[in-house]
Amino acid sequence: SGTAVDRLAAVVFVLNREGEFVVSARATVGARGFDPGDESSFVVAIPNASDVSRYRVSFRADERVLPHVDKREPGTVARMQ
């Protein structure tokens, strides 16, 4: 029960061991609009991030934060490259 979304972006906030903000980055998710229930993989590159303890992912359309369901398997973590 939602509406279609254009210009979807994934935004990642990186936090250190003390829970303090380190850096953030965003990346476009797909080149098309999304209908309710659509899924897509995405990559957000964050160069030179160090002392990473946690991260938060949110999704935005323009500057509006969108609700989402995290369907990762338990224990799944971001890959550091």
Side-chain angles (χ1 to χ4, degrees), residues 6-59:
D6 291 320
R7 296 179 303 279
L8 182 65
V11 181
V12 176
F13 294 92
V14 176
L15 308 170
N16 65 17
R17 288 183 181 93
E18 289 77 37
E20 299 167 330
F21 172 79
V22 175
V23 66
S24 68
R26 77 170 47 209
T28 301
V29 179
R32 58 172 180 74
F34 288 87
D35 291 321
D38 282 354
E39 297 181 12
S40 178
S41 60
F42 61 93
V43 174
V44 178
I46 304 175
N48 304 319
S50 60
D51 192 25
V52 176
S53 178
R54 297 181 310 151
Y55 63 94
R56 287 190 199 139
V57 179
S58 64
F59 296 93

